[in-house]
């Protein structure tokens, strides 16, 4: 078993020329697979749950190293569809790269239910560690001694990831940087969609620090966990939307990440702020939540009328 070279020619490239599943126009006859898989490269897979299954349609990421694999997030659905997809991907990978044992770590970009609901399906999987999603679980597993500012390495076997705390959207949120591909995984803290600053001071500090982190490294793409924007600048799909035929790409740039950081600081800690590539929700008080609910209800009514 020759070791895989995860150090030469970094960051290596990959393929993001993909049409993501975005739900069916007729919800009575869904056509999308429950989980879409896309190989970014030989050792990196991006997965998305269908909007026919869950309006969240979150992304998850499977990274293969020479000694173990990491799954970032287990999705928004409690069934075993994501587990089945991951098992198939690992089986295929191991056919090309045989190992007598090959552990899987299931970790999370953050602890919200649409990113951890699939955890129980991995609970009985052999050689699998499911990391908890409380701050103490993250600190213990990754070895943080100075949460959240510390950057800790996590080695998959030659493929080293850098993990740092990113609280503000959710207390146990993290960002993960893959040195081999240059991919930066940001969960729900930077994405082409609604960025919810639930703890405003913590979020502003975290995202500023992450922008500095990314500027100092060869980041190829910033990958969040949802697409919620339309291709029209500054316009997002309504919360709960299950059909998004005009989505922008998932990937963002470091320049866009810096704009998220600047926008977060400029909000003054309250209100809804639309930008070309994302929408900032500063604080989640009663007025903000009522506006979200109203938008969701209005969008659902319009959808039913069209049908």
């Amino acid at each position: 078993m020759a070791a895989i070279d995860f150090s030469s020619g970094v960051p290596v490239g990959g393929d993001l020329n993909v049409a993501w599943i975005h739900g069916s126009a007729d919800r009575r006859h869904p056509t999308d697979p429950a989980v879409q898989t896309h190989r970014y490269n030989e050792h990196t897979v991006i997965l998305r749950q269908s909007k026919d299954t869950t309006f969240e349609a979150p992304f998850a990421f499977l990274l293969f190293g020479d000694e173990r694999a990491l799954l970032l997030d287990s999705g928004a659905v409690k069934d075993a569809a994501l587990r089945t997809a991951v098992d198939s991907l690992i089986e295929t990978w191991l056919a090309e790269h045989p190992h007598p044992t090959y552990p899987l770590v299931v970790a999370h970009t953050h602890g919200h239910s649409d990113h951890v609901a699939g955890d129980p399906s991995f609970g009985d999987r052999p050689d699998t560690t499911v990391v908890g999603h409380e701050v103490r679980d993250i600190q213990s597993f990754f070895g943080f001694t100075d949460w959240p500012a510390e950057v800790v390495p996590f080695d998959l076997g030659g493929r080293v990831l850098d993990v740092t705390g990113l609280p503000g959207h959710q207390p146990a949120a993290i960002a993960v940087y893959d040195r081999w591909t240059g991919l930066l995984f940001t969960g729900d803290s930077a994405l082409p969609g609604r960025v919810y600053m639930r703890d405003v001071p913590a979020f502003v500090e975290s995202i500023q620090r992450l922008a500095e982190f990314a500027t100092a490294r060869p980041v190829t793409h910033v990958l969040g966990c949802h697409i919620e924007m339309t291709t029209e600048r500054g316009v997002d799909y309504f919360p709960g939307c299950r059909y998004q035929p005009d989505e922008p790409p998932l990937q963002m740039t470091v320049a866009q990440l810096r704009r998220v950081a600047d926008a977060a600081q400029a909000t003054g800690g309250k209100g809804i702020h639309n930008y070309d590539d994302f929408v900032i929700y500063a604080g989640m008080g009663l007025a903000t939540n009522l506006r979200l609910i109203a938008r969701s209800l209005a969008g659902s009514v319009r959808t039913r009328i069209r049908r």
Side-chain angles (χ1 to χ4, degrees):
M1 294 180 295
I4 302 167
D5 183 2
F6 287 111
S7 59
S8 299
V10 296
V12 302
D15 174 24
L16 281 172
N17 182 22
V18 53
W20 293 113
I21 56 177
H22 53 251
S24 303
D26 188 346
R27 287 284 300 138
R28 294 167 297 180
H29 301 285
T31 58
D32 290 333
V35 178
Q36 179 185 10
T37 62
H38 172 72
R39 289 189 177 274
Y40 178 75
N41 59 31
E42 182 182 4
H43 308 301
T44 309
V45 184
I46 305 174
L47 306 95
R48 190 187 194 185
Q49 290 184 314
S50 171
K51 278 189 169 288
D52 290 336
T53 303
T54 165
F55 73 86
E56 298 284 5
F59 289 84
F61 308 94
L62 181 62
L63 312 181
F64 293 94
D66 206 33
E67 297 174 0
R68 55 183 166 177
L70 171 70
L71 175 66
L72 266 178
D73 289 348
S74 63
V77 183
K78 293 181 179 180
D79 66 23
L82 188 70
R83 156 79 188 270
T84 299
V86 168
D87 283 350
S88 177
L89 289 163
I90 292 176
E91 181 181 3
T92 299
W93 189 88
L94 286 174
E96 297 293 327
H97 309 278
H99 286 66
T101 60
Y102 193 69
L104 172 68
V105 173
V106 180
H108 312 91
T109 59
H110 62 293
H112 284 153
S113 60
D114 54 320
H115 300 268
V116 306
D119 282 6
S121 70
F122 291 91
D124 62 350
R125 190 181 187 279
D127 294 321
T128 299
T129 300
V130 180
V131 182
H133 36 84
E134 302 292 337
V135 172
R136 61 180 179 273
D137 300 320
I138 306 302
Q139 291 173 317
S140 174
F141 181 81
F142 289 108
F144 279 95
T145 58
D146 183 19
W147 172 269
E150 187 179 7
V151 177
V152 296
F154 183 63
D155 193 351
L156 299 179
R159 185 176 188 175
V160 180
L161 312 177
D162 291 318
V163 184
T164 190
L166 200 65
H169 174 72
Q170 193 270 339
I174 59 173
V176 178
Y177 174 69
D178 177 18
R179 299 180 191 178
W180 183 58
T181 60
L183 296 174
L184 177 62
F185 303 98
T186 54
D188 285 2
S189 297
L191 47 74
R194 292 177 290 277
V195 177
Y196 298 110
M197 298 166 52
R198 299 179 186 276
D199 180 336
V200 173
F203 187 95
V204 170
E205 191 280 330
S206 291
I207 204 70
Q208 292 288 340
R209 181 165 42 81
L210 186 63
E212 294 171 5
F213 173 99
T215 301
R217 290 165 174 78
V219 174
T220 52
H221 302 286
V222 176
L223 299 180
C225 284
H226 300 277
I227 301 173
E228 295 165 341
M229 301 302 288
T230 70
T231 53
E232 183 179 349
R233 289 185 176 182
V235 179
D236 59 324
Y237 285 99
F238 66 87
C241 182
R242 286 183 173 269
Y243 179 54
Q244 299 184 174
D246 299 311
E247 294 182 335
L250 171 66
Q251 63 270 23
M252 300 177 77
T253 65
V254 173
Q256 288 172 305
L257 173 61
R258 287 197 295 264
R259 287 199 288 273
V260 173
D262 291 343
Q265 195 165 40
T267 62
K270 59 182 179 180
I272 302 172
H273 307 263
N274 289 65
Y275 294 84
D276 285 353
D277 310 316
F278 54 87
V279 182
I280 294 279
Y281 281 73
M284 297 304 295
L286 179 60
T288 298
N289 280 295
L290 288 175
R291 288 181 65 178
L292 276 170
I293 293 169
R295 279 202 66 207
S296 179
L297 291 173
S300 297
V301 168
R302 287 196 302 271
T303 300
R304 287 197 295 269
I305 290 173
R306 284 198 297 270
R307 289 177 187 157

